[in-house]
C-alpha cells in the first residue's frame, strides 16, 4: 500500500484546518462593524427564549438581541415568565387597538424600521418585543444613522423564521403561552479547552518519541552495518529510515501554496456532497493511521505475527498482524462515518484524527532547521492571510467559514480535533485544526531526533524547550480566543514565534545553529575509519 502518497494527500487536506478554537453559535463576530450611537449601543448577544404552555415547560428557541433597547438579564433565575401574544396589526407599524398590559408581543419583520416597532410596542404597554425574521437565519437589528427616537426601554429580540412559525402554532392551538428571555454568559475558560490542549501536546509528545526511537534504531543498525563492512562501505542512503519522506525547501513552499488552493476549493464547493467526500477521505486516512499505530503497538506482544508476511493482491506483502487489525480499523471508521452526527461521535473523530497525525509525523520528516523554518514561516503567513486578510477579499474569513462548515449546514469539516464545551450554556465545540498540531509537530519531532542522536540530556537538548514553547503558544491562543469573545484565532500566529523562535535562539546560544540549519544531525565518528586506524596500528607493531 503506497502510504507515503496517501499521507501526503491527507496532510494537505488537514493543513486547511488552522483555526485553534471556534465555538459554534457565536453571534458577536463582526460586532464592531455595526454602527453604535447613544441609545443604540448594545452588544449583540444570543438570547434564549424558553416557552411554557399552560404552565408546563416546552421548547426553547434562540434569538439575537438588538442594538437598541434595554439589555436582557443573564441569569435564568432573574428572568420572569411573561405572557406571549400576537401583535395586531402583525407588523406593529401602527398603534394597536388595545393595550398589552406587560405582555411580550410577537411581530413580523418588514414595512417599517425596527425602532419604530419597538417604540409602538412600548407605547402599547408591551414588556418585550420578539421580531420574526422572514428568513431562517438570525439578523442583527441596528439603527439607521439618522434615527433620533432611540429612548427605548424594552428589549427587542430577532427570531428566525422557523422559530416564529412554531411560536405562532403554539399561540393558535393553546390557551396560554409564556416565555422567559435571558442571555447566559459564556464561561471565561471551559474545561474543554484544557482537555484539547492536553490532547494536542500529548499527540506531539507521542509522535516525537516514536519518531526519535525509530531514528535511533536506524542509526544503531547503520553503525552495525558499517562495523561489519570494513572492506565495503555501504551507501548511507541505502540504510536510511525505511518509508520516511523528507521535505525539502521547495516542497515546503509548494505545500502551503497547494493548501491555499485546496482551501479556496473547499470554500467555493462546500456543500453536503463535498462534505461527504471529505468524510470518505478522512476515513481512509484514519484507517491507515489507526492501523499503523495499532500494528506498531501490538507487534511488541505479537512479534511473530508482526514479522510473518503474506502476499496480498494489489497490496503486496502484508504482515499477519496487519491483516488481523485492518478489519477492526475499517469497521471503526465506518461506524463513525454512519453515526458521526450523534452527540458522542467526537470521540471517534478524535481517535482517528490523533492516529492519523501521529502516523504522518512518524513518516514525514524535516531534514534540518532550514526546511522547518521555511515551512513554518510560510504556514504562519498562510494562517494569518486566510483568517484575517481574506475578509477583505471574500467579505468573510475563509478559514473560519470552512472550519465551521457554515456553507454546508453541517458542524464543519472532519479534519479537526474537537471536544464539546462542557460548562457553556450555549453548547458548541472547542476545536483545533490538524495543521496546528502537525506543522509544529514536525519541528518538535526533529528536535527530539537530534537530541537522541547527539546524546543530549533532556535539559541540555532542544526537545523540552520546544515542547514547552509549543504548549505556551497554544495556551496564549486560547487566552486570545477568550479575550476576543470567541472569534476564531489563527493558532500559528502564536505557536510559530514561540516554537521556532525558541529553537533558533537556543541553537544560536549553544553554537549548534550551523549544524541544525544545514546537516540536521550531529556528526558521528565513522566506525569504519576507526577500525581501519586500529588495524594499521596493529600492523605497525
Amino acid at each position: 500500500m503506497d502510504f507515503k502518497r496517501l499521507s501526503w494527500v491527507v496532510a494537505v487536506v488537514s493543513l486547511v484546518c488552522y483555526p485553534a478554537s471556534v465555538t459554534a453559535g457565536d453571534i458577536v463576530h463582526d460586532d464592531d462593524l455595526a454602527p453604535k450611537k447613544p441609545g443604540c449601543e448594545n452588544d449583540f448577544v444570543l438570547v434564549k427564549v424558553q416557552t411554557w404552555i399552560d404552565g408546563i415547560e416546552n421548547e426553547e428557541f434562540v434569538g439575537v438581541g438588538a442594538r437598541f433597547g434595554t439589555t436582557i438579564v443573564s441569569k435564568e433565575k432573574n428572568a420572569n415568565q411573561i405572557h406571549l401574544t400576537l401583535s395586531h396589526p402583525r407588523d406593529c407599524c401602527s398603534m394597536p387597538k388595545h393595550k398589552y398590559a406587560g405582555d411580550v408581543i410577537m411581530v413580523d419583520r418588514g414595512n417599517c424600521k425596527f425602532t419604530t416597532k419597538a417604540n409602538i410596542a412600548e407605547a402599547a404597554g408591551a414588556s418585550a418585543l420578539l421580531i420574526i425574521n422572514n428568513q431562517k437565519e438570525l439578523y442583527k437589528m441596528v439603527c439607521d444613522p439618522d434615527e433620533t427616537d432611540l429612548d427605548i426601554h424594552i428589549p427587542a429580540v430577532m427570531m428566525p423564521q422557523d422559530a416564529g412559525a412554531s411560536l405562532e402554532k403554539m399561540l393558535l392551538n393553546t390557551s396560554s403561552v409564556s416565555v422567559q428571555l435571558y442571555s447566559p454568559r459564556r464561561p471565561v475558560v471551559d474545561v474543554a479547552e484544557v482537555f484539547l490542549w492536553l490532547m494536542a501536546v500529548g499527540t506531539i509528545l507521542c509522535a516525537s518519541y516514536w519518531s526519535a526511537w525509530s531514528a535511533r534504531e536506524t542509526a544503531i543498525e547503520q553503525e552495525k552495518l558499517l562495523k561489519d563492512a570494513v572492506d565495503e562501505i555501504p551507501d548511507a542512503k541505502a540504510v536510511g529510515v525505511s518509508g520516511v519522506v523528507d521535505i525539502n525547501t521547495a516542497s515546503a513552499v509548494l505545500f502551503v501554496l497547494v493548501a491555499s488552493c485546496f482551501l479556496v476549493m473547499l470554500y467555493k464547493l462546500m456543500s453536503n456532497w463535498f462534505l461527504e467526500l471529505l468524510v470518505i477521505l478522512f476515513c481512509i486516512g484514519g484507517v491507515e493511521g489507526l492501523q499503523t499505530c495499532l500494528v506498531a503497538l501490538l507487534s511488541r506482544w505479537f512479534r511473530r505475527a508482526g514479522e510473518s508476511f503474506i502476499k496480498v493482491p494489489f497490496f503486496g506483502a502484508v504482515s499477519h498482524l496487519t491483516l488481523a487489525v485492518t478489519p477492526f480499523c475499517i469497521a471503526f471508521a465506518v461506524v463513525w462515518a454512519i453515526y458521526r452526527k450523534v452527540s458522542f461521535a467526537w470521540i471517534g473523530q478524535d481517535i482517528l484524527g490523533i492516529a492519523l497525525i501521529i502516523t504522518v509525523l512518524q513518516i514525514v520528516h524535516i531534514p534540518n532547521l532550514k526546511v522547518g523554518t521555511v515551512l513554518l514561516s510560510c504556514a504562519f503567513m498562510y494562517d494569518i492571510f486566510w483568517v484575517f486578510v481574506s475578509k477583505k477579499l471574500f467579505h468573510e474569513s475563509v478559514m473560519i467559514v470552512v472550519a465551521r462548515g457554515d456553507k454546508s449546514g453541517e458542524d464543519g469539516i472532519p479534519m479537526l480535533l474537537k471536544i464539546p464545551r462542557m460548562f457553556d450554556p450555549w453548547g458548541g465545540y472547542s476545536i483545533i485544526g490538524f495543521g496546528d498540531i502537525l506543522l509544529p509537530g514536525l519541528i518538535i519531532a526533529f528536535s527530539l531526533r537530534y537530541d537522541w542522536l547527539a546524546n543530549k540530556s533532556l535539559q541540555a537538548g532542544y526537545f523540552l524547550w520546544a515542547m514547552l514553547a509549543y504548549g505556551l503558544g497554544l495556551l496564549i491562543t486560547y487566552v486570545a480566543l477568550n479575550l476576543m469573545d470567541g472569534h476564531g484565532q489563527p493558532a500559528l500566529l502564536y505557536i510559530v514565534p514561540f516554537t521556532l523562535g525558541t529553537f533558533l535562539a537556543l541553537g544560536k546560544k549553544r553554537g549548534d545553529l550551523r549544524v541544525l540549519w544545514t546537516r540536521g544531525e550531529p556528526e558521528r565518528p565513522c566506525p569504519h575509519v576507526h577500525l581501519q586506524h586500529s588495524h594499521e596500528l596493529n600492523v605497525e607493531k
Side-chain angles (χ1 to χ4, degrees):
M1 198 179 302
D2 190 3
F3 185 53
K4 290 182 185 178
R5 185 175 301 173
L6 178 63
S7 62
W8 268 107
V9 172
V10 175
V12 170
V13 172
S14 69
L15 195 60
V16 304
C17 307
Y18 282 148
S21 300
V22 181
T23 50
D26 286 339
I27 199 66
V28 296
H29 58 283
D30 298 332
D31 191 27
D32 51 352
L33 298 182
K36 289 184 179 182
K37 57 194 302 186
C40 189
E41 53 191 356
N42 296 339
D43 290 331
F44 292 118
V45 294
L46 290 173
V47 179
K48 290 194 175 188
V49 181
Q50 177 64 59
T51 61
W52 302 75
I53 297 179
D54 295 328
I56 301 174
E57 189 172 355
N58 204 272
E59 286 186 77
E60 181 182 85
F61 303 98
V62 176
V64 58
R67 188 64 107 189
F68 52 85
T70 57
T71 57
I72 297 169
V73 298
S74 60
K75 295 183 179 180
E76 183 179 5
K77 64 181 182 181
N78 296 332
N80 297 321
Q81 293 183 32
I82 305 175
H83 183 258
L84 178 68
T85 187
L86 285 171
S87 171
H88 297 285
R90 289 293 299 270
D91 59 12
C92 198
C93 289
S94 58
M95 187 62 68
K97 296 179 180 179
H98 59 275
K99 296 290 184 177
Y100 291 112
D103 291 346
V104 175
I105 64 170
M106 189 170 75
V107 307
D108 292 337
R109 177 184 176 184
N111 299 330
C112 62
K113 297 177 180 179
F114 294 126
T115 51
T116 301
K117 297 177 188 288
N119 279 309
I120 291 173
E122 183 180 6
S127 61
L129 179 68
L130 298 184
I131 301 178
I132 308 304
N133 196 10
N134 50 18
Q135 298 177 358
K136 292 183 179 180
E137 294 80 14
L138 292 172
Y139 183 84
K140 294 178 180 179
M141 294 185 288
V142 297
C143 310
D144 290 340
D146 58 346
E147 286 191 74
T148 56
D149 193 9
L150 298 175
D151 189 23
I152 301 170
H153 299 285
I154 62 171
V157 178
M158 172 67 73
M159 302 287 291
Q161 188 179 45
D162 51 354
S166 298
L167 287 171
E168 184 175 356
K169 187 176 180 181
M170 291 180 188
L171 288 168
L172 296 176
N173 294 340
T174 56
S175 56
S176 177
V177 178
S178 301
V179 293
Q180 271 184 308
L181 305 180
Y182 62 102
S183 178
R185 295 172 182 167
R186 295 188 184 277
V188 176
V189 178
D190 192 271
V191 69
E193 293 169 354
V194 177
F195 283 112
L196 201 63
W197 184 91
L198 291 172
M199 281 171 56
V201 171
T203 299
I204 292 180
L205 197 66
C206 293
S208 297
Y209 272 95
W210 186 11
S211 176
W213 179 82
S214 299
R216 186 165 64 177
E217 290 292 307
T218 302
I220 292 172
E221 184 65 26
Q222 183 177 346
E223 288 181 4
K224 287 181 180 178
L225 288 172
L226 289 171
K227 287 179 181 179
D228 294 339
V230 177
D231 298 322
E232 184 181 348
I233 303 176
D235 184 4
K237 292 182 180 179
V239 291
V241 182
S242 175
V244 168
V245 176
D246 278 333
I247 308 174
N248 56 35
T249 305
S251 61
V253 176
L254 183 63
F255 194 40
V256 176
L257 292 176
V258 171
S260 296
C261 296
F262 194 82
L263 181 63
V264 173
M265 185 174 69
L266 281 174
Y267 176 73
K268 293 295 185 180
L269 299 179
M270 183 63 73
S271 59
N272 288 331
W273 71 266
F274 197 72
L275 190 66
E276 296 292 336
L277 177 61
L278 292 179
V279 168
I280 293 172
L281 291 175
F282 174 72
C283 286
I284 294 172
V287 167
E288 288 284 358
L290 190 59
Q291 170 197 289
T292 303
C293 292
L294 287 178
V295 169
L297 185 65
L298 295 175
S299 60
R300 295 180 175 273
W301 291 280
F302 303 97
R303 187 176 298 274
R304 181 175 297 179
E307 293 176 351
S308 57
F309 293 84
I310 184 173
K311 195 169 184 180
V312 178
F314 183 71
F315 295 104
V318 179
S319 72
H320 288 93
L321 185 58
T322 301
L323 285 177
V325 167
T326 300
F328 166 77
C329 298
I330 294 174
F332 187 91
V334 169
V335 170
W336 171 81
I338 294 173
Y339 296 102
R340 70 181 186 277
K341 294 183 180 179
V342 300
S343 60
F344 54 85
W346 62 272
I347 300 173
Q349 180 172 328
D350 288 350
I351 291 173
L352 292 171
I354 289 172
L356 176 57
I357 292 170
I358 290 176
T359 303
V360 172
L361 288 176
Q362 164 67 11
I363 290 174
V364 180
H365 289 181
I366 56 172
N368 52 49
L369 191 54
K370 177 184 176 182
V371 174
T373 301
V374 171
L375 179 63
L376 286 186
S377 298
C378 290
F380 175 80
M381 293 183 287
Y382 166 95
D383 219 11
I384 294 172
F385 180 85
W386 290 112
V387 174
F388 293 137
V389 182
S390 62
K391 290 181 182 180
K392 305 293 183 183
L393 301 176
F394 299 90
H395 307 293
E396 57 185 350
S397 174
V398 173
M399 187 81 77
I400 302 300
V401 169
V402 170
R404 278 178 168 164
D406 291 356
K407 291 192 173 185
S408 66
E410 301 286 343
D411 289 332
I413 61 178
M415 290 77 175
L416 303 163
L417 298 186
K418 57 193 289 188
I419 296 181
R421 296 178 63 85
M422 302 174 190
F423 298 104
D424 192 329
W426 297 104
Y429 292 88
S430 290
I431 65 175
I432 184 169
F434 284 3
D436 298 328
I437 304 174
L438 259 176
L439 295 177
L442 287 171
I443 201 165
I444 294 172
F446 163 74
S447 71
L448 187 58
R449 289 196 302 272
Y450 180 87
D451 287 353
W452 280 21
L453 293 175
N455 294 319
K456 289 182 177 289
S457 65
L458 190 62
Q459 189 173 355
Y462 295 93
F463 171 73
L464 174 63
W465 308 109
M467 197 75 242
L468 289 174
Y470 173 78
L472 182 60
L474 187 57
L475 179 63
I476 290 177
T477 302
Y478 287 117
V479 172
L481 179 76
N482 288 298
L483 290 177
M484 299 293 180
D485 294 321
H487 295 200
Q489 292 295 300
L492 295 184
L493 172 63
Y494 310 96
I495 292 172
V496 169
F498 275 89
T499 308
L500 189 58
T502 299
F503 208 158
L504 290 170
L506 272 178
K508 179 70 173 177
K509 182 180 179 181
R510 294 173 177 176
D512 296 333
L513 189 57
R514 182 181 295 275
V515 175
L516 288 166
W517 189 264
T518 54
R519 288 175 52 86
E521 60 180 29
E523 293 190 20
R524 297 191 300 257
C526 180
H528 176 262
V529 174
H530 177 72
L531 287 172
Q532 272 193 328
H533 181 65
S534 299
H535 179 69
E536 290 172 359
L537 289 176
N538 291 331
V539 169
E540 289 177 1
K541 292 180 180 178

